[in-house]
Amino acid sequence: MKITGAEIFCESLRREGVKTVFGLPGGVVLKIFDVLCQQKDIELVLTRHEQGAAHMAEGYAKATGKAGVVLVTSGPGMTNIVTGLADAYMDSVPLVAFTGQVSTDLIGNDAFQEADNVGISRPCTKHNVLVKDVKDLALAIKEAFYIATSGRPGPVLVDIPKDVSTAKAEFIYPDKVTLRGYNPAVDGSKNQIKLAAEEIMKAKKPMIYVGGGAVFSDAADEIKELAEITQIPVTMTLMGLGSFPGTHPLSLGMLGMHGGYWTNMAMHHADLLIAVGARFDDRVTGKLDAFCPEARVIHIDIDPTSIKKTFHAHIPIVGDVKTVLRQMNVALRSLDGNPKEMQSRRAPWLKQVGDWRKTHPLTYKQDDKITKPQYVIEKLFELTNHDAIVATDVGQHQMFAAQYFKGSRPRTWLTSGGLGTMGFGFPAAIGAQKAFPDRLVLCITSEGSFQMNLQELVVAAEHKLPVKIVLLNNGVHGMVRQWQDLFYESRYSASLLGKMPDFVKLADAYGIAGLRALKPAEVEPVLKEGLKHKGPVLMDIHTDPFENCYPMIPAGGAQHEMMLEDPPELEITRKGGSHKRKVDEEEKGVLPA
């Protein structure tokens, strides 16, 4: 029996096990939405903006490891998800986006709400396709899910013209697909793994450097085993947080621009670097030719194009991170290494790293007048007993959360790393909460980021999703203001936000509970009340607008060239909300652009 393209769409999603679709309707996808509303297996979450739908699907995908699914219309519907596609592409998030298209006979005629969806999305998708015949639709969907979730994950776009969704064809859904030229490697080379194991055994100052690839590979157990049998400290990128317990004695937390002093120093002085599912991005390496100058490098990644892309690897290993680490742990155990001897050999290195941590720990000064953002994050970490899915937006609050909320499990840290998308956090939290309605989901955000997708408050209210929004409200674009203070002589060009909405009233307008903390003494009571509230809640916590995030590697600096506190020439006064910086005349003109 022949069925319509819209029915093929829904049946294909059922076969892929899709339970939730995030989307917003429009003219050319009305047939698909009509079929969706007549079935019960797949729930549609109606968002208020297509960008929100894309980020919700990202949050769902990051929290579950499954592909997130987006459905939007043509033209502006599609262009509004481009940021989500680019974000997912940079962070290797499995996403399948379905976009409507004008009928095939109108393509290229500048029809109403027509856009070149395939052309626009080509630079920011792993794969995209325009389905011109309803007979090809089921196969295109099968391939989309396979490509999005295999190898290095990423977003895939399927463009469906209006007449394809209404035309009929026999439904034939393949059990599996084979794509010529696309065969992601899973097992690593045995010879390379043996070489790597030998390097690990003889290294005196090794480091394990873990990226987001380890999270998507579900390699947390293998990383922990590797670290413990070799006694090698572990550092994580922003995207890799949660892949190794943040409270583990061998955890050094995050590295890079706002990583710990001890972490960056250890990287600079390491003699062996084991890079696991990481891509050596500029926020991690800083000045590339000064990065890990003494280290030999083992690089494990499923994407061969990532290896040696920006940094040389002495022992490249292409393969699935989880599989390769299993092979490597077996190889290490088979060598003649004595665990006690290994611990004894690594003891001086671990002591040195510990001394660096004691010398310059993360620090801030909390008084009883103005709330420091770090204090809020520490309290949140304490009150949640470290057990929460945390979604963040982008900026200072993101870095403070990365430093102070020490995640213990993979897929509990959802953030925008590569693209750095403000407005990501809240819809991502909704997506995660939709996947796990009974778990605690936090959205740590700022007033600047939150206002970019706050319309999705109504989605949380409608679906009774109990997301806890912790809004660190300092009235400025904090990271921009920090850079302007440090490098632009405190000229606050467009970083002070001026008039702000009343976020508690705003929450009330959307039918959500709102709480506010104006001073430090009110923070803990507000957090406790918000966390025990059964529904969604917005906690508006006013924080110091002039707190800076340290350590910090200035742009172009090497890893060991960190700023640890405000420089002496930066004099902060808060009279009338002003913030003045004294700049020596000699310094003028030498600040980096």
Side-chain angles (χ1 to χ4, degrees), residues 317-522:
I317 304 175
V318 178
D320 170 61
V321 164
K322 184 182 184 75
T323 305
V324 171
L325 289 180
R326 277 183 179 172
Q327 294 174 282
M328 188 174 290
N329 288 336
V330 170
L332 284 164
R333 291 186 187 282
S334 69
L335 294 176
D336 293 332
N338 182 321
K340 289 186 178 178
E341 183 185 333
M342 184 86 76
Q343 291 178 9
S344 174
R345 193 187 317 155
R346 298 278 154 74
W349 174 232
L350 293 176
K351 182 180 184 304
Q352 173 64 76
V353 175
D355 289 345
W356 281 323
R357 191 194 293 258
K358 290 176 186 172
T359 304
H360 293 295
L362 294 176
T363 184
Y364 63 95
K365 296 177 181 176
Q366 178 61 67
D367 59 27
D368 59 358
K369 296 178 181 176
I370 189 162
T371 303
K372 300 294 183 181
Q374 302 97 317
Y375 172 71
V376 181
I377 305 294
E378 279 202 312
K379 273 293 164 196
L380 202 53
F381 183 63
E382 173 190 326
L383 294 173
T384 57
N385 197 26
H386 322 167
D387 186 16
I389 296 174
V390 179
T392 81
D393 266 300
V394 172
Q396 278 188 326
H397 72 273
Q398 178 192 33
M399 294 297 107
F400 288 132
Q403 290 176 337
Y404 288 90
F405 203 103
K406 300 171 184 174
S408 58
R409 289 193 286 168
R411 303 196 187 288
T412 58
W413 172 254
L414 320 178
T415 196
S416 172
L419 197 63
T421 305
M422 293 173 67
F424 167 88
F426 179 49
I430 290 176
Q433 189 78 82
K434 192 65 190 167
F436 297 105
D438 298 326
R439 290 180 64 178
L440 175 60
V441 177
L442 305 174
C443 170
I444 299 176
T445 184
S446 65
E447 73 298 310
S449 288
F450 185 67
Q451 290 185 87
M452 292 190 176
N453 266 317
L454 63 81
Q455 76 283 347
E456 307 303 344
L457 279 168
V458 72
V459 176
E462 271 185 350
H463 290 263
K464 296 181 172 56
L465 298 171
V467 176
K468 312 305 179 194
I469 306 162
V470 181
L471 195 157
L472 301 179
N473 184 354
N474 61 7
V476 300
H477 286 307
M479 192 60 85
V480 175
R481 194 274 309 148
Q482 177 170 336
W483 279 60
Q484 288 172 336
D485 264 337
L486 296 176
F487 309 124
Y488 293 90
E489 301 180 10
S490 297
R491 289 184 294 275
Y492 300 134
S493 177
S495 58
L496 307 183
L497 290 172
K499 188 170 179 57
M500 299 289 292
D502 183 324
F503 287 103
V504 173
K505 288 184 178 177
L506 183 73
D508 183 60
Y510 279 98
I512 284 177
L515 302 167
R516 179 175 290 125
L518 296 175
K519 52 188 178 182
E522 296 171 346

Side-chain angles (χ1 to χ4, degrees), residues 139 142-143 146-147 174-183:
L139 178 61
K142 180 70 180 179
E143 290 178 347
Y146 173 62
I147 294 171
D175 293 331
K176 62 178 182 179
V177 292
T178 303
L179 300 170
R180 189 171 63 181
Y182 181 73
N183 298 295

